[in-house]
Structures are given as C-alpha cells and as structure tokens.
Amino acid sequence: MAGHGNLIGGKLEEIAEVISMIDNKERVGVCVDTCHSFAAGYDLTDEEKWNKFWDDFDKIIGLKYLSSLHVNDSKAPLGANRDLHERLGWGFIGLECFRLLANDKRLKDIPLILEVPAGKDDKAFGEDIKLLEWLVGKEKDNKEYIEKSIALQKLGAPERKIQGAKIEKRDGKRKLEVQKGKDVLSMLKKTKKK
C-alpha cells in the first residue's frame, strides 16, 4: 500500500507481520506495486536503491512470497503516501526503475501487471509494454536509453509539477494519516492473540 489513511502494508515489516499471523502460508503471496512502494517511501530510482529495496524485501518478507508486480510510475513524489499511477518514465520514479526491473534476474518468471493511465488515445498500454520490452538488455549509459528517459520526463513534467504542489500543501496532515495505519496493525495483532 502507499502508506495512506488507515491502511496497512505501506511498510515491509507490516506485511511480514501479517504473514506471521497466518498459520498455513502455502497460498500466501505478495504483490509489489512500484508506485505504492515509492509513495510509501521506498526509493527505487537508481540501482543502489533498487537493490536495497529487494534485499530488504528478501530479508524482511522473503522473495519466496513475491507473486506479482504492478508496474507503474508515480505522479506523486517519494514518500507522498499518494497512489497516483503514471506512465512509465513520466513520473517521479523515472525510467531507470523500469530498466532495472526489465533486467533483474530475481524477477524472472514473476507476472507483471501494467497499471498506467490509458491516455486520451488509448495507446498508452501498448506503448508502455513495448517500452518495457525495449528496456531488456539496455545499459544505463546507452545513448538511446538516456534520450528516451529525458523525453519521457519532459512529457510528465506538467503533471509532476501539479501533484508536487498538492503534496507540499497537504504535507502537514501526513503524520496523522501514518498513525492511523499503525493503529489498524495494532488491532490486527490484538485480534490474532484472542
């Protein structure tokens, strides 16, 4: 989850705790959403941060529980606790995350679900699927990759500016929302003990 409101799942530890409450874990699976993770404060924007997230996921939850990925960029900045999906490379996460995703052996055979806004011409899904395929085998210093990354960031700049301003205005309320999520997890723990 994006870490907003009274929902749990915005922190890896919360997901691990929920899994620990389940007696029969044979059918337990976790879906990671790139936008939700970013919104919850997990930076996925470069290789070091990408690897840290997946190392932490494996240590805290376990890669054996990873069952799918929702793939999307974010219209909102890091840690904004807003679930605002954006087309790949257009948002605050940027194209590097998706280049890493397309080439990460840990994610081989994990189903990917593209969740991006359709756009006015309904070509967004097809274009973003082709983009993911194009990223396979690309190095971050590839000239075409760099040019594509810059072009996509320009396309998304107006929406990033709008959403960034909204988040700045709303920022004072964020602490209250995070506390609500912690309260829900506490209630679950108490229910499991009964």
Side-chain angles (χ1 to χ4, degrees), residues 127-160:
E127 289 173 358
D128 281 9
I129 288 169
K130 287 179 184 175
L131 177 60
L132 277 172
E133 292 170 344
W134 180 79
L135 289 169
V136 175
K138 291 283 186 285
E139 298 293 331
K140 77 177 191 178
D141 59 353
N142 176 287
K143 183 181 176 189
E144 291 175 315
Y145 164 74
I146 294 167
E147 289 171 357
K148 174 71 81 177
S149 184
I150 292 168
L152 295 175
Q153 280 293 290
K154 285 181 182 175
L155 289 171
E159 189 65 26
R160 287 193 315 275

Side-chain angles (χ1 to χ4, degrees), residues 97-136:
C97 168
F98 306 104
R99 185 192 70 80
L100 293 164
L101 183 150
N103 293 288
D104 195 326
K105 292 183 185 344
R106 292 173 290 200
L107 307 179
K108 187 178 185 321
D109 299 324
I110 299 293
L112 304 178
I113 301 158
L114 185 64
E115 278 192 311
V116 296
K120 294 175 185 169
D121 58 10
D122 290 328
K123 294 180 182 178
F125 292 108
E127 289 173 358
D128 281 9
I129 288 169
K130 287 179 184 175
L131 177 60
L132 277 172
E133 292 170 344
W134 180 79
L135 289 169
V136 175

Side-chain angles (χ1 to χ4, degrees), residues 71-99:
V71 181
N72 36 59
D73 208 323
S74 175
K75 291 181 183 180
L78 177 66
N81 303 121
R82 290 293 313 275
D83 179 15
L84 297 172
H85 296 180
E86 180 60 283
R87 294 202 49 198
L88 305 185
W90 291 41
F92 281 94
I93 298 175
L95 194 57
E96 179 63 3
C97 168
F98 306 104
R99 185 192 70 80

